[in-house]
Amino acid sequence: FIGSSMIYNLEAESIDVTSVTLKWLLNSSASGNYTYRIEFVNGTNGTPVQILGLNDTKAKITDLIPGTKYIFTVFAVADDTEAEEERASIDVYTRPSQVVTFEAESIGVTSVTLKWVVTDSASDSYMYRIEFVNDTFVENRTFSDIRGEITELIPGTMYNFTVFAIAADNETEGEGKSTQLYTRPSRVATLEAESIGETSVTLKWVMNDNASNTYTYRIEVVNGTNGTPVKNLTSTKTEAKITDLIPGTEY
C-alpha cells in the first residue's frame, strides 16, 4: 500500500462477495483526536464513493460489486483542525460470486466435460479453477471459459468436482460449487459362452478396470431371429447363467 507515518498497516481484514472490512493503525505519536474518511473507487469504471466521519480504525464497506477491483484510501482528520492528514491506500478485489449451476455436459470413460453458469457483471475477466478429488489424489485444472474437459481420469470411479471463480487478480476466489460424478466403466475386454445348453447359456467375461470390484453387470438378451428383447439380468460376478431360452435359437 501507499502509506504515511500517520496511518500504517492498512489491510483488508476480510473480503467477501459484496463487502470488504478494512483495518489500520494510527501512529502513536499523533496528538489530538482523529476521525477517518474513506474514499473508494471502482477500479474498473473509476466511479468514486466516499464514507465520512468514521471514529474507529476499522470499517466494513458494503454494497460492492462481486469480483471487482476497488481502490480504498483512508484519510485521518484531526478534530481540532478538520485538516486531512496524509493518507494510506490499498487495492482489493471483492470475491466472485459462487457459480449458479455446475453440471456434467458429457461423461466418458476417462474424461468428463463440465459446464457452469456465473451471473456476475465482472465475469468476463474471471478464470475458473476446478478441483477434482477421488480416494487417492487431488488435482486442479484452470479454465478461461465456462466449460472445461477433465481428462486422464480412472474408469468407473467417483470424483468430487468443485469449481471456483477467480477474479482478475488471479488470486481472489469465490466460494466453490461441487458435484459428484462417476466416470463410465470401460467396455468388457472379452465376452464368451462358457457353456451352451438347450435352454440355457452360461456367459463369462473379463473386465480390466481398477474399480471393477465395485461393478455390477447388466446382461441384455435379444432373440436374434425376430429381434425381440427377451430379458435383462444383473450380476455382481463376471459370469451369468441365462435360462428359459428356446432350443436351437440364436440369441
Side-chain angles (χ1 to χ4, degrees), residues 142-169:
T142 303
F143 301 93
S144 58
D145 198 3
I146 54 172
R147 65 187 298 277
E149 183 181 20
I150 311 296
T151 59
E152 300 179 2
L153 303 178
I154 302 169
T157 301
M158 187 186 79
Y159 289 86
N160 186 68
F161 298 92
T162 306
V163 62
F164 304 85
I166 307 172
D169 62 349

Side-chain angles (χ1 to χ4, degrees), residues 63-216:
D63 299 322
L64 303 178
I65 301 169
T68 300
K69 176 183 176 181
Y70 287 89
I71 303 166
F72 297 95
T73 303
V74 178
F75 301 86
V77 182
D79 287 348
D80 54 350
T81 64
E82 295 186 358
E84 290 180 353
E85 302 291 347
E86 296 180 60
R87 68 194 72 179
S89 296
I90 188 173
D91 296 353
V92 179
Y93 276 84
T94 49
R95 295 178 65 191
S97 301
Q98 185 186 49
V99 302
V100 178
T101 62
F102 183 42
E103 60 187 2
E105 184 177 74
S106 64
I107 301 174
V109 176
T110 60
S111 66
V112 173
T113 299
L114 302 163
K115 64 179 182 178
W116 53 92
V117 173
V118 61
T119 56
D120 287 356
S121 59
S123 62
D124 286 348
S125 65
Y126 291 175
M127 297 288 288
Y128 301 92
R129 178 174 69 88
I130 294 183
E131 176 184 275
F132 53 104
V133 182
N134 76 358
D135 291 338
T136 59
F137 68 85
V138 178
E139 290 194 25
N140 290 274
R141 299 284 189 275
T142 303
F143 301 93
S144 58
D145 198 3
I146 54 172
R147 65 187 298 277
E149 183 181 20
I150 311 296
T151 59
E152 300 179 2
L153 303 178
I154 302 169
T157 301
M158 187 186 79
Y159 289 86
N160 186 68
F161 298 92
T162 306
V163 62
F164 304 85
I166 307 172
D169 62 349
N170 293 323
E171 294 181 3
T172 306
E173 288 190 346
E175 181 182 355
K177 194 173 187 70
S178 298
T179 186
Q180 287 186 334
L181 301 170
Y182 276 87
T183 49
R184 295 177 63 189
S186 302
R187 186 168 66 171
V188 299
T190 62
L191 173 63
E192 60 184 27
E194 185 177 55
S195 64
I196 302 173
E198 291 184 0
T199 60
S200 66
V201 172
T202 299
L203 302 172
K204 68 176 183 178
W205 55 92
V206 174
M207 168 55 71
N208 295 322
D209 286 357
N210 292 339
S212 62
N213 62 340
T214 66
Y215 291 175
T216 58

Side-chain angles (χ1 to χ4, degrees), residues 19-92:
S19 66
V20 172
T21 299
L22 301 173
K23 66 176 183 179
W24 59 92
L25 296 174
L26 182 67
N27 195 313
S28 59
S29 64
S31 59
N33 295 318
Y34 288 82
T35 58
Y36 304 94
R37 181 171 68 88
I38 297 178
E39 178 180 288
F40 59 100
V41 176
N42 183 317
T44 302
N45 58 28
T47 304
V49 183
Q50 292 183 358
I51 296 179
L52 302 175
L54 297 172
N55 295 315
D56 197 4
T57 57
K58 180 177 179 179
K60 183 175 183 179
I61 318 300
T62 60
D63 299 322
L64 303 178
I65 301 169
T68 300
K69 176 183 176 181
Y70 287 89
I71 303 166
F72 297 95
T73 303
V74 178
F75 301 86
V77 182
D79 287 348
D80 54 350
T81 64
E82 295 186 358
E84 290 180 353
E85 302 291 347
E86 296 180 60
R87 68 194 72 179
S89 296
I90 188 173
D91 296 353
V92 179

